[in-house]
Amino acid sequence: MSVLSSNSVFTSLQQSGPFAVPDSVRYAGRFSAQTREWVKKLQEDPNNVAKYRALCSQIFEFLEVDNIEQIQLLIGNQELRQQRSERALHLVGNMFGINGNFNEIKSRVDEYARTADAVIHSLSGKILLPYASHIEATNEIEVTNNPVELLLIMFNDAYHKKARFEARRKLILMTLAGSIDQRERETDIEHKFSSFLAFLNGYVWSPNLKIGDLDPVYLYSTHSNEDYRCTGVTVLNPLQANLAEQGQDKYEKLTMIKRRSFNAGSKKTPIYVSIRKKPPEAKVLKLLRKNEKNPAVAVDDELGLMGVLDSVSDVKAFQKHLTRSASKANSLMVLEDISDTLIESTQYRGRAVGSSDKTSMMKFFARLGGMRVEFIIHTNQTWLNYMYQQDVAHNEYEVKRMFDTGVIELLFPMDIFHLDHIKTRNEMVKFFRKQIESYTL
C-alpha cells in the first residue's frame, strides 16, 4: 500500500485530501461556507472522519485545551506554553517508556528531533543532492525540538505554509523515531550488536589476524557497453592496480576493497565485509516506505552483514564456516528466508518497490545467540553489478524506491516544495548513472 493512498497510516501528512496544510489557518467559524465545504470533503471517506476525531482528541489532550479557540490563546501566552510543555514531555516519556527525570526525558525527545532532522538531511545529502536548495528546511523549524511548540506552529498563521507543514512533518518523524528507540530498548539492540561483533572476531575471522587487520586489494573489472554489467573481474594488488589504471577506459573500473579472511580447513579465504546497524533515520525511512508505524513489523534487518567473496564455492564455504563457528560459540545457527540467485539460471524476485529482477545475491537471516542477523553475500562479479549495473546499482535502487513508494512526495509535496517528482526521479537516476559510468572513480 502506498503512503499516498487513502488508507495510508500517514494520512495526516498528505497534502492531497482533508488533512492538507492550508495557505492560512485563520479559523472561519463552525458554520462558514469554507468549514462546511471542508467537512463535506472529509466525509467522502468515513475512515478519515474517525482519523480526524482521534487526531483532534490527541491534540486537545496533549495541549490541555478543549477547542481550537483555546489553542490560539495558548499561542500568545508564553508562561502557559512552558507549563504545558513540561506536562507534555512527561506524557511523551510515559508513552515511549522513558525512565528518568524531566531532563533525561527532554534529552531523549531532543534526540528524536535530531533523528527527524537527520531523515531530511540524509535525503538532501544524497537522493536529492542537486535539489537540496528546494527542500532545505526552515531555520525556525530545525531549531525547534519542543513538541508543544511544533504543534502550536501548525496553528499559528504567523508562520508560512511551508514552515507549518515542516512542523507537522517533524512531529510525525519524531513519533516514528520514538517508536524505534522504544523498540531498540526492548530488544537491547546495542548489546546484540556488540555481541555480534564479538562473535565474528572471536569465532569467524582468522585467529592469527589482529582485530581490524584488513588487506587492501583492487577489483579490476570490465563492463558491457549495453547495461554496464560486469563481464569480467580480476583481483589486483596496489602495484598491479597502478599499472592497470594507466590503460583504463570508460568500460573498465578499478574498485578498492579492504578484505578480512577466514580459515575454512587449511585454506585461508579472503572476504570483503560491511557490517552495519541501521541508524535511526534509516529505520524511519523504512517505516515510511513500508507504510507502517510499528518497527517490530517493518524493520526486520536491524543487524546486517554484507560479504563479498571471489567465487560461488567460497560463498558456500563461508556459509558452512558460519554454522560451525556458531556451534563453537555454543549456539545453534538456523538459516531463515534463504534466497540464492548467484547462479545465472535463477532469477531474483524482489518484493521491494524499485528492486530489479536482474539482481544476483545470496540473502538469508541467521538466528544465533539470541540474535537475528541479515546476511547478504556476493561474489566479486555480482557485487560489482550491485554497485554499477543499470537498473541494479544500489544508488539507482535507492532513488527508485524512495520515489516509487511515494515517500518523496509525502515528505516534499509539490505545492510546497515545487518539485516535479516524476521529472526529478528520472533526473536523479541519470545523475547516478553519470557518476557510475564516469572515467574516474
Side-chain angles (χ1 to χ4, degrees), residues 2 23 79 87 119 151 160 229 273 279 284 290 297 304 323 338 366 373 390-391 400 428 430:
S2 169
D23 294 331
E79 184 178 343
R87 172 184 174 273
V119 170
L151 191 54
H160 186 267
R229 71 185 183 279
V273 176
V284 170
K290 297 287 187 180
V297 174
T323 304
I338 301 173
V373 184
Q390 288 179 18
D391 297 325
K400 291 174 183 177
M428 287 311 302
K430 291 179 182 177

PDB file of all heavy atoms in Angstrom, residues 2 23 79 87 119 151 160 229 273 279 284 290 297 304 323 338 366 373 390-391 400 428 430:
ATOM      1  N   SER A   2       0.612   2.185  -0.889  1.00  0.00           N
ATOM      2  CA  SER A   2       1.402   3.402  -0.988  1.00  0.00           C
ATOM      3  C   SER A   2       1.114   4.328   0.188  1.00  0.00           C
ATOM      4  O   SER A   2      -0.006   4.372   0.713  1.00  0.00           O
ATOM      5  CB  SER A   2       1.070   4.116  -2.306  1.00  0.00           C
ATOM      6  OG  SER A   2       1.618   5.423  -2.318  1.00  0.00           O
ATOM      7  N   ASP A  23      -3.243  27.281   3.080  1.00  0.00           N
ATOM      8  CA  ASP A  23      -2.459  28.511   2.904  1.00  0.00           C
ATOM      9  C   ASP A  23      -2.555  29.399   4.132  1.00  0.00           C
ATOM     10  O   ASP A  23      -1.614  30.121   4.473  1.00  0.00           O
ATOM     11  CB  ASP A  23      -2.951  29.279   1.675  1.00  0.00           C
ATOM     12  CG  ASP A  23      -2.687  28.517   0.383  1.00  0.00           C
ATOM     13  OD1 ASP A  23      -1.700  27.744   0.353  1.00  0.00           O
ATOM     14  OD2 ASP A  23      -3.463  28.675  -0.574  1.00  0.00           O
ATOM     15  N   GLU A  79       4.129  31.860  29.243  1.00  0.00           N
ATOM     16  CA  GLU A  79       4.210  31.172  30.531  1.00  0.00           C
ATOM     17  C   GLU A  79       3.363  29.906  30.536  1.00  0.00           C
ATOM     18  O   GLU A  79       3.793  28.852  31.032  1.00  0.00           O
ATOM     19  CB  GLU A  79       3.739  32.115  31.645  1.00  0.00           C
ATOM     20  CG  GLU A  79       3.883  31.521  33.037  1.00  0.00           C
ATOM     21  CD  GLU A  79       3.450  32.488  34.127  1.00  0.00           C
ATOM     22  OE1 GLU A  79       3.346  33.702  33.849  1.00  0.00           O
ATOM     23  OE2 GLU A  79       3.218  32.017  35.263  1.00  0.00           O
ATOM     24  N   ARG A  87       4.416  19.350  31.067  1.00  0.00           N
ATOM     25  CA  ARG A  87       3.438  18.270  31.194  1.00  0.00           C
ATOM     26  C   ARG A  87       3.487  17.351  29.983  1.00  0.00           C
ATOM     27  O   ARG A  87       3.471  16.119  30.098  1.00  0.00           O
ATOM     28  CB  ARG A  87       2.031  18.860  31.345  1.00  0.00           C
ATOM     29  CG  ARG A  87       0.906  17.832  31.301  1.00  0.00           C
ATOM     30  CD  ARG A  87      -0.447  18.518  31.371  1.00  0.00           C
ATOM     31  NE  ARG A  87      -1.533  17.565  31.177  1.00  0.00           N
ATOM     32  CZ  ARG A  87      -2.024  17.221  29.989  1.00  0.00           C
ATOM     33  NH1 ARG A  87      -1.494  17.737  28.882  1.00  0.00           N
ATOM     34  NH2 ARG A  87      -3.013  16.346  29.898  1.00  0.00           N
ATOM     35  N   VAL A 119      16.618  12.616   8.985  1.00  0.00           N
ATOM     36  CA  VAL A 119      15.890  11.989   7.877  1.00  0.00           C
ATOM     37  C   VAL A 119      15.911  12.913   6.660  1.00  0.00           C
ATOM     38  O   VAL A 119      16.231  12.487   5.534  1.00  0.00           O
ATOM     39  CB  VAL A 119      14.428  11.688   8.281  1.00  0.00           C
ATOM     40  CG1 VAL A 119      13.606  11.275   7.060  1.00  0.00           C
ATOM     41  CG2 VAL A 119      14.385  10.595   9.334  1.00  0.00           C
ATOM     42  N   LEU A 151       3.735  21.790  17.597  1.00  0.00           N
ATOM     43  CA  LEU A 151       2.293  21.623  17.401  1.00  0.00           C
ATOM     44  C   LEU A 151       1.599  22.973  17.294  1.00  0.00           C
ATOM     45  O   LEU A 151       0.707  23.163  16.453  1.00  0.00           O
ATOM     46  CB  LEU A 151       1.718  20.802  18.553  1.00  0.00           C
ATOM     47  CG  LEU A 151       0.283  20.285  18.419  1.00  0.00           C
ATOM     48  CD1 LEU A 151       0.093  19.504  17.128  1.00  0.00           C
ATOM     49  CD2 LEU A 151      -0.074  19.414  19.619  1.00  0.00           C
ATOM     50  N   HIS A 160       4.591  30.729   7.740  1.00  0.00           N
ATOM     51  CA  HIS A 160       4.269  30.408   6.344  1.00  0.00           C
ATOM     52  C   HIS A 160       3.801  28.960   6.235  1.00  0.00           C
ATOM     53  O   HIS A 160       4.119  28.111   7.079  1.00  0.00           O
ATOM     54  CB  HIS A 160       5.519  30.627   5.483  1.00  0.00           C
ATOM     55  CG  HIS A 160       5.290  30.474   4.015  1.00  0.00           C
ATOM     56  ND1 HIS A 160       5.474  29.280   3.345  1.00  0.00           N
ATOM     57  CD2 HIS A 160       4.872  31.364   3.076  1.00  0.00           C
ATOM     58  CE1 HIS A 160       5.203  29.430   2.065  1.00  0.00           C
ATOM     59  NE2 HIS A 160       4.833  30.688   1.872  1.00  0.00           N
ATOM     60  N   ARG A 229      26.852  -4.085 -17.037  1.00  0.00           N
ATOM     61  CA  ARG A 229      27.042  -5.236 -16.153  1.00  0.00           C
ATOM     62  C   ARG A 229      28.503  -5.667 -16.219  1.00  0.00           C
ATOM     63  O   ARG A 229      29.198  -5.426 -17.226  1.00  0.00           O
ATOM     64  CB  ARG A 229      26.125  -6.392 -16.550  1.00  0.00           C
ATOM     65  CG  ARG A 229      26.489  -7.077 -17.838  1.00  0.00           C
ATOM     66  CD  ARG A 229      25.475  -8.131 -18.252  1.00  0.00           C
ATOM     67  NE  ARG A 229      25.882  -8.818 -19.467  1.00  0.00           N
ATOM     68  CZ  ARG A 229      25.705  -8.342 -20.688  1.00  0.00           C
ATOM     69  NH1 ARG A 229      25.131  -7.172 -20.883  1.00  0.00           N
ATOM     70  NH2 ARG A 229      26.106  -9.035 -21.743  1.00  0.00           N
ATOM     71  N   VAL A 273      33.949  -7.354   3.881  1.00  0.00           N
ATOM     72  CA  VAL A 273      32.796  -7.365   4.770  1.00  0.00           C
ATOM     73  C   VAL A 273      32.358  -5.950   5.116  1.00  0.00           C
ATOM     74  O   VAL A 273      33.193  -5.079   5.407  1.00  0.00           O
ATOM     75  CB  VAL A 273      33.115  -8.123   6.084  1.00  0.00           C
ATOM     76  CG1 VAL A 273      31.938  -8.048   7.040  1.00  0.00           C
ATOM     77  CG2 VAL A 273      33.458  -9.571   5.797  1.00  0.00           C
ATOM     78  N   PRO A 279      21.058   3.027  11.261  1.00  0.00           N
ATOM     79  CA  PRO A 279      20.860   4.211  12.096  1.00  0.00           C
ATOM     80  C   PRO A 279      19.370   4.547  12.186  1.00  0.00           C
ATOM     81  O   PRO A 279      18.580   4.133  11.327  1.00  0.00           O
ATOM     82  CB  PRO A 279      21.626   5.307  11.338  1.00  0.00           C
ATOM     83  CG  PRO A 279      21.648   4.848   9.917  1.00  0.00           C
ATOM     84  CD  PRO A 279      21.699   3.341   9.971  1.00  0.00           C
ATOM     85  N   VAL A 284      13.503   5.077  10.184  1.00  0.00           N
ATOM     86  CA  VAL A 284      12.331   5.944   9.964  1.00  0.00           C
ATOM     87  C   VAL A 284      11.923   5.901   8.502  1.00  0.00           C
ATOM     88  O   VAL A 284      10.734   5.761   8.166  1.00  0.00           O
ATOM     89  CB  VAL A 284      12.634   7.392  10.400  1.00  0.00           C
ATOM     90  CG1 VAL A 284      11.521   8.335   9.947  1.00  0.00           C
ATOM     91  CG2 VAL A 284      12.788   7.471  11.913  1.00  0.00           C
ATOM     92  N   LYS A 290       7.437   1.357   3.993  1.00  0.00           N
ATOM     93  CA  LYS A 290       6.567   0.210   4.248  1.00  0.00           C
ATOM     94  C   LYS A 290       5.154   0.626   4.653  1.00  0.00           C
ATOM     95  O   LYS A 290       4.297  -0.238   4.859  1.00  0.00           O
ATOM     96  CB  LYS A 290       7.170  -0.669   5.356  1.00  0.00           C
ATOM     97  CG  LYS A 290       8.518  -1.280   5.018  1.00  0.00           C
ATOM     98  CD  LYS A 290       8.389  -2.394   4.005  1.00  0.00           C
ATOM     99  CE  LYS A 290       9.712  -3.113   3.796  1.00  0.00           C
ATOM    100  NZ  LYS A 290       9.612  -4.212   2.812  1.00  0.00           N
ATOM    101  N   VAL A 297       7.195  -4.695  13.117  1.00  0.00           N
ATOM    102  CA  VAL A 297       6.646  -5.302  11.901  1.00  0.00           C
ATOM    103  C   VAL A 297       7.502  -4.979  10.686  1.00  0.00           C
ATOM    104  O   VAL A 297       7.798  -5.854   9.865  1.00  0.00           O
ATOM    105  CB  VAL A 297       5.193  -4.827  11.662  1.00  0.00           C
ATOM    106  CG1 VAL A 297       4.668  -5.344  10.324  1.00  0.00           C
ATOM    107  CG2 VAL A 297       4.300  -5.271  12.806  1.00  0.00           C
ATOM    108  N   GLY A 304      23.027  -6.409  10.283  1.00  0.00           N
ATOM    109  CA  GLY A 304      23.277  -6.973   8.961  1.00  0.00           C
ATOM    110  C   GLY A 304      24.749  -7.072   8.628  1.00  0.00           C
ATOM    111  O   GLY A 304      25.587  -6.338   9.158  1.00  0.00           O
ATOM    112  N   THR A 323      28.132 -21.641  10.208  1.00  0.00           N
ATOM    113  CA  THR A 323      27.402 -22.629  11.014  1.00  0.00           C
ATOM    114  C   THR A 323      28.323 -23.290  12.030  1.00  0.00           C
ATOM    115  O   THR A 323      27.957 -23.457  13.206  1.00  0.00           O
ATOM    116  CB  THR A 323      26.784 -23.696  10.090  1.00  0.00           C
ATOM    117  OG1 THR A 323      25.947 -23.050   9.117  1.00  0.00           O
ATOM    118  CG2 THR A 323      25.939 -24.674  10.885  1.00  0.00           C
ATOM    119  N   ILE A 338      15.868 -18.000   3.065  1.00  0.00           N
ATOM    120  CA  ILE A 338      17.025 -18.083   2.166  1.00  0.00           C
ATOM    121  C   ILE A 338      16.607 -17.796   0.723  1.00  0.00           C
ATOM    122  O   ILE A 338      15.617 -18.321   0.220  1.00  0.00           O
ATOM    123  CB  ILE A 338      17.674 -19.479   2.236  1.00  0.00           C
ATOM    124  CG1 ILE A 338      18.116 -19.789   3.666  1.00  0.00           C
ATOM    125  CG2 ILE A 338      18.861 -19.563   1.288  1.00  0.00           C
ATOM    126  CD1 ILE A 338      18.616 -21.202   3.861  1.00  0.00           C
ATOM    127  N   ALA A 366      20.163 -15.218   9.696  1.00  0.00           N
ATOM    128  CA  ALA A 366      20.757 -16.229  10.577  1.00  0.00           C
ATOM    129  C   ALA A 366      20.312 -15.955  12.008  1.00  0.00           C
ATOM    130  O   ALA A 366      20.498 -14.842  12.517  1.00  0.00           O
ATOM    131  CB  ALA A 366      22.278 -16.191  10.478  1.00  0.00           C
ATOM    132  N   VAL A 373      20.216 -12.002  12.352  1.00  0.00           N
ATOM    133  CA  VAL A 373      21.088 -11.146  11.558  1.00  0.00           C
ATOM    134  C   VAL A 373      20.835 -11.391  10.072  1.00  0.00           C
ATOM    135  O   VAL A 373      20.766 -12.542   9.622  1.00  0.00           O
ATOM    136  CB  VAL A 373      22.572 -11.419  11.878  1.00  0.00           C
ATOM    137  CG1 VAL A 373      23.474 -10.457  11.119  1.00  0.00           C
ATOM    138  CG2 VAL A 373      22.822 -11.311  13.383  1.00  0.00           C
ATOM    139  N   GLN A 390      23.215  -1.054 -14.767  1.00  0.00           N
ATOM    140  CA  GLN A 390      21.973  -0.309 -14.975  1.00  0.00           C
ATOM    141  C   GLN A 390      20.783  -1.097 -14.432  1.00  0.00           C
ATOM    142  O   GLN A 390      20.697  -2.310 -14.626  1.00  0.00           O
ATOM    143  CB  GLN A 390      21.765  -0.029 -16.465  1.00  0.00           C
ATOM    144  CG  GLN A 390      22.710   1.011 -17.040  1.00  0.00           C
ATOM    145  CD  GLN A 390      22.490   1.251 -18.525  1.00  0.00           C
ATOM    146  OE1 GLN A 390      21.444   0.900 -19.068  1.00  0.00           O
ATOM    147  NE2 GLN A 390      23.472   1.838 -19.196  1.00  0.00           N
ATOM    148  N   ASP A 391      19.887  -0.404 -13.750  1.00  0.00           N
ATOM    149  CA  ASP A 391      18.667  -0.963 -13.133  1.00  0.00           C
ATOM    150  C   ASP A 391      18.957  -1.791 -11.885  1.00  0.00           C
ATOM    151  O   ASP A 391      18.025  -2.178 -11.184  1.00  0.00           O
ATOM    152  CB  ASP A 391      17.871  -1.833 -14.127  1.00  0.00           C
ATOM    153  CG  ASP A 391      17.364  -1.033 -15.304  1.00  0.00           C
ATOM    154  OD1 ASP A 391      17.018   0.146 -15.108  1.00  0.00           O
ATOM    155  OD2 ASP A 391      17.313  -1.590 -16.410  1.00  0.00           O
ATOM    156  N   LYS A 400      14.785   4.972  -6.860  1.00  0.00           N
ATOM    157  CA  LYS A 400      13.507   4.415  -7.313  1.00  0.00           C
ATOM    158  C   LYS A 400      12.589   4.071  -6.146  1.00  0.00           C
ATOM    159  O   LYS A 400      11.386   4.351  -6.181  1.00  0.00           O
ATOM    160  CB  LYS A 400      13.759   3.180  -8.183  1.00  0.00           C
ATOM    161  CG  LYS A 400      14.396   3.504  -9.521  1.00  0.00           C
ATOM    162  CD  LYS A 400      14.750   2.229 -10.285  1.00  0.00           C
ATOM    163  CE  LYS A 400      15.448   2.547 -11.594  1.00  0.00           C
ATOM    164  NZ  LYS A 400      15.863   1.318 -12.310  1.00  0.00           N
ATOM    165  N   MET A 428      17.437  12.086 -11.318  1.00  0.00           N
ATOM    166  CA  MET A 428      18.348  11.554 -10.306  1.00  0.00           C
ATOM    167  C   MET A 428      18.900  10.189 -10.714  1.00  0.00           C
ATOM    168  O   MET A 428      20.050   9.862 -10.401  1.00  0.00           O
ATOM    169  CB  MET A 428      17.639  11.463  -8.950  1.00  0.00           C
ATOM    170  CG  MET A 428      17.414  12.811  -8.275  1.00  0.00           C
ATOM    171  SD  MET A 428      18.912  13.841  -8.217  1.00  0.00           S
ATOM    172  CE  MET A 428      20.050  12.786  -7.338  1.00  0.00           C
ATOM    173  N   LYS A 430      19.522   9.383 -13.813  1.00  0.00           N
ATOM    174  CA  LYS A 430      20.554   9.769 -14.783  1.00  0.00           C
ATOM    175  C   LYS A 430      21.784  10.335 -14.065  1.00  0.00           C
ATOM    176  O   LYS A 430      22.923  10.078 -14.483  1.00  0.00           O
ATOM    177  CB  LYS A 430      19.999  10.811 -15.755  1.00  0.00           C
ATOM    178  CG  LYS A 430      18.953  10.277 -16.709  1.00  0.00           C
ATOM    179  CD  LYS A 430      18.438  11.393 -17.614  1.00  0.00           C
ATOM    180  CE  LYS A 430      17.346  10.890 -18.557  1.00  0.00           C
ATOM    181  NZ  LYS A 430      16.798  11.985 -19.390  1.00  0.00           N
TER     182      LYS A 430
END
